[in-house]
Amino acid sequence: TKYLLNGRETDRFPFPVALKDAKPVIEYMDGWKCDISAARRWEDLPVQAQDYVNAVERQIGCRIKYISVGPERDSIIIR
């Protein structure tokens, strides 16, 4: 989610010269061990999947409107 460089956290990708000194800051999240391909509503997703989508939204600063849950055309959740 970030890099630790010279004792400071940054969310910017380190310049290539500094990359060898940068350490990634990783955020771990709980996963889900179930099939979500039948989900068609936000509420059908496991809480862990909802948490993941919410975390991605916070990181990118943008709401995610479409969530694909499989390869079929109708395998999508529209929020």
Side-chain angles (χ1 to χ4, degrees), residues 29 42 47 49-59 63-64 79:
M29 301 185 72
W42 175 255
V47 172
Q50 293 177 18
D51 291 345
Y52 177 76
V53 172
N54 289 330
V56 171
E57 286 180 337
R58 281 192 306 276
Q59 288 294 320
R63 182 168 168 82
I64 295 173
R79 290 178 69 197

Side-chain angles (χ1 to χ4, degrees), residues 13-65:
F13 188 77
F15 189 71
V17 174
L19 191 56
K20 66 178 175 58
D21 298 320
K23 305 288 183 228
V25 176
I26 300 170
E27 180 181 336
Y28 291 95
M29 301 185 72
D30 292 333
W32 56 97
K33 295 186 188 248
C34 61
D35 181 10
I36 61 170
S37 62
R40 294 298 179 271
R41 297 176 310 131
W42 175 255
E43 298 80 18
D44 297 337
L45 289 175
V47 172
Q48 298 89 341
Q50 293 177 18
D51 291 345
Y52 177 76
V53 172
N54 289 330
V56 171
E57 286 180 337
R58 281 192 306 276
Q59 288 294 320
I60 65 174
C62 182
R63 182 168 168 82
I64 295 173
K65 186 171 181 178

